[in-house]
Amino acid sequence: MTAEGARPNSNPLGFLADEIAELKRQNLYRPMRVLSSPQAAEVVVDGAELISLSSNNYLGLATHPKLKEAAIATTRDFGAGSGAVRTIAGNMTIHERLETELADFKHVEAVLTFQSGFTANTGVIPVVAGENDLIVSDALNHASIIDGMRMSKAPRVVFPHKDTAALRELLREARSKGRADAGGRPYRLILVVTDGVFSMDGDIAPLPEIVAAAEEFGAAVMVDDAHASGVLGRNGRGTVDHFDLHGRVHIQVGTLSKAIGVLGGYVAGSQALRDMLIQRARPFLFSTSHPPAVAAACLAAIQVLRDEPELIDRLWANTTYFKGELRRLGFDTGASETPITPVMMGDSAMAGRFSQRLFEEGVFAQAVVYPTVPLDRARIRTIVTAEHSTEQLDLCLAAFSKVGRELGLIGA
Ligand code: PMP
């Protein structure tokens, strides 16, 4: 028996296929490419050999011999999985060692690792900010920060991207007016949250100005260094080190999944912050810990950052060269200041076509379209790595030049 009016044989999820058809019609449907090689400067994607400009493997650590060795040896000794969440039975020596090492590397009291950068953000924000608090967030912050804010009971306000004058104004008002819902009682905490490097534009947060504004109004600062970890600062210590702001940023989130080459995220800050996250952070409490191999490979990666700073030098030399040449060819690379170099395309159809033509020319560079970026700001998002040779970058530039002329994006 079915309820009156319901069609007995209809598919209750039929709307999904309709929505997919609509996305395809608007050129907004993104099929996944399949990689059948290791993640490296040259990859095999959907059976084709290509030069990749699409990974976050900034330093080539995903295939670094020391990381692979650490993962293999630790798997032999400790097995493939951890078997439990950290707070029950899945807290192994290797997890603790990684955190001690990361805290030392970042010059903070304590670190707690999470299963990913995404869960680090969704874990930490609701723990530190609740209904008596206010979160102040940059307009272009990452989806995981947005989800973390959604999971928090704290109200939030958004300031225009990198607009520190607007931020100061918001902080001034929040401090002078207090909580609208509680007769103007002061907020317990005002938390300013920003990406360190913005993942779609490759620009760097004005952290010194943000910290100065926060200090003026007694707010705390949280920075998400997903794309700055291993990229900015001495030995890749991140934006706090880059701007010499040690001790003045209260929460640093980092990822172990990009330049560090493996998987995971972490929150770096005070011992009290770590202790409280262990009690309350939901992804930490309710999801199994990393396999020992993951923690061991991350630990090896931190050692590589300390021992082989020349990898970061190569990353930046490649970045400067590639970005400069793209601009010289006439491409609009937006506000980028880091190895993330967007090449602006306008609409999503153009971005999709451009990416497909690059693919045919032997270059793997993915289009980023709405809703990740605004409808008219579709782009090809490129990331060079330390592993790319100048010859490989030149082949990519030649392909960009050819396709750019062909599609009328740059002059003939
Ligand atoms: N924050 C930012 C700014 C990111 O770009 C990303 C990854 N896209 C994350 C967090 C999530 O990191 P992970 O891949 O480790 O989950």
Side-chain angles (χ1 to χ4, degrees):
M1 284 284 284
T2 56
E4 205 177 325
R7 287 172 297 151
N9 293 322
S10 72
N11 173 4
L13 293 182
F15 62 91
L16 292 177
D18 298 342
E19 286 177 17
I20 293 291
E22 180 57 20
L23 285 175
K24 286 183 175 165
R25 203 187 57 72
Q26 294 176 38
N27 272 314
L28 294 175
Y29 180 76
R30 303 291 313 282
M32 286 200 290
R33 302 278 197 189
V34 181
L35 194 73
S36 53
S37 66
Q39 188 65 266
E42 281 189 34
V43 288
V44 180
V45 180
D46 291 348
E49 282 179 32
L50 307 170
I51 302 170
S52 175
L53 295 173
S54 284
S55 85
N56 298 310
N57 183 27
Y58 290 100
L59 302 174
L61 298 198
T63 54
H64 192 290
K66 290 201 169 137
L67 275 73
K68 291 200 288 187
E69 230 5 87
I72 292 164
T74 307
T75 301
R76 279 207 195 93
D77 293 345
F78 290 94
S82 76
V85 301
R86 296 269 304 271
T87 48
I88 296 180
N91 185 32
M92 294 175 149
T93 326
I94 192 75
H95 298 124
E96 295 273 336
R97 270 186 62 206
L98 172 60
E99 289 168 345
T100 306
E101 174 61 18
L102 273 170
D104 184 63
F105 181 71
K106 297 283 287 183
H107 304 316
V108 295
E109 259 178 42
V111 160
L112 191 71
T113 54
F114 283 74
Q115 294 83 351
S116 67
F118 200 104
T119 54
N121 276 329
T122 57
V124 66
I125 295 174
V127 170
V128 295
E131 56 202 354
N132 300 322
D133 308 317
L134 178 71
I135 307 174
V136 185
S137 170
D138 186 285
L140 293 190
N141 276 345
H142 189 255
S144 53
I145 293 179
I146 295 169
D147 282 11
M149 294 193 297
R150 284 181 180 148
M151 287 178 192
S152 161
K153 293 200 174 76
R156 56 181 184 271
V157 285
V158 172
F159 62 96
H161 181 49
K162 300 210 313 191
D163 186 340
T164 49
L167 169 65
R168 283 188 77 254
E169 216 26 63
L170 280 173
L171 292 177
R172 180 196 310 285
E173 197 177 308
R175 272 299 173 222
S176 68
K177 291 198 179 146
R179 289 170 55 192
D181 65 329
R185 263 223 316 270
Y187 291 103
R188 180 188 67 166
L189 166 73
I190 300 178
L191 179 67
V192 182
V193 187
T194 183
D195 277 12
V197 170
F198 290 86
S199 53
M200 289 302 133
D201 292 280
D203 52 339
I204 302 173
L207 209 52
E209 291 80 8
I210 290 174
V211 166
E215 285 174 349
E216 188 179 340
F217 296 102
V221 176
M222 166 173 154
V223 62
D224 173 2
D225 261 349
H227 285 282
S229 307
V231 174
L232 285 177
R234 284 166 303 152
N235 302 81
R237 284 181 171 82
T239 48
V240 169
D241 192 78
H242 174 76
F243 287 117
D244 203 10
L245 292 168
H246 289 286
R248 297 172 66 191
V249 171
H250 307 81
I251 303 173
Q252 296 179 63
V253 171
T255 177
L256 302 162
S257 332
K258 301 181 194 294
I260 309 305
V262 195
L263 174 71
Y266 60 89
V267 176
S270 67
Q271 186 64 48
L273 176 64
R274 179 180 193 266
D275 292 347
M276 191 50 94
L277 290 172
I278 294 171
Q279 305 309 306
R280 296 268 191 275
R282 291 170 69 84
F284 182 84
L285 286 170
F286 296 110
S287 186
T288 297
S289 57
H290 280 153
V294 169
C298 291
L299 196 56
I302 305 305
Q303 197 56 47
V304 170
L305 290 183
R306 290 188 192 273
D307 293 345
E308 301 178 39
E310 61 274 14
L311 289 174
I312 300 178
D313 297 341
R314 279 226 299 282
L315 169 67
W316 280 96
N318 280 347
T319 296
T320 306
Y321 176 68
F322 189 67
K323 206 188 296 290
E325 289 300 300
L326 278 174
R327 286 182 183 152
R328 210 175 51 76
L329 286 169
F331 287 105
D332 173 6
T333 58
S336 169
E337 308 167 78
T338 66
I340 299 174
T341 303
V343 184
M344 297 302 173
M345 295 281 142
D347 69 14
S348 54
M350 172 63 102
R353 215 162 43 239
F354 205 106
S355 175
Q356 181 55 36
R357 281 289 298 117
L358 285 176
F359 192 97
E360 289 156 12
E361 296 293 326
V363 176
F364 183 39
Q366 291 278 54
V368 181
V369 302
Y370 180 83
T372 309
V373 293
L375 262 177
D376 59 344
R377 301 284 288 164
R379 63 200 64 184
I380 304 285
R381 179 171 174 271
T382 70
I383 296 186
V384 297
T385 71
E387 282 190 318
H388 286 97
S389 65
T390 308
E391 295 70 44
Q392 288 170 329
L393 295 181
D394 283 342
L395 286 170
C396 293
L397 289 162
F400 264 93
S401 173
K402 178 174 176 187
V403 177
R405 277 178 238 276
E406 190 182 295
L407 299 183
L409 211 67
I410 55 173

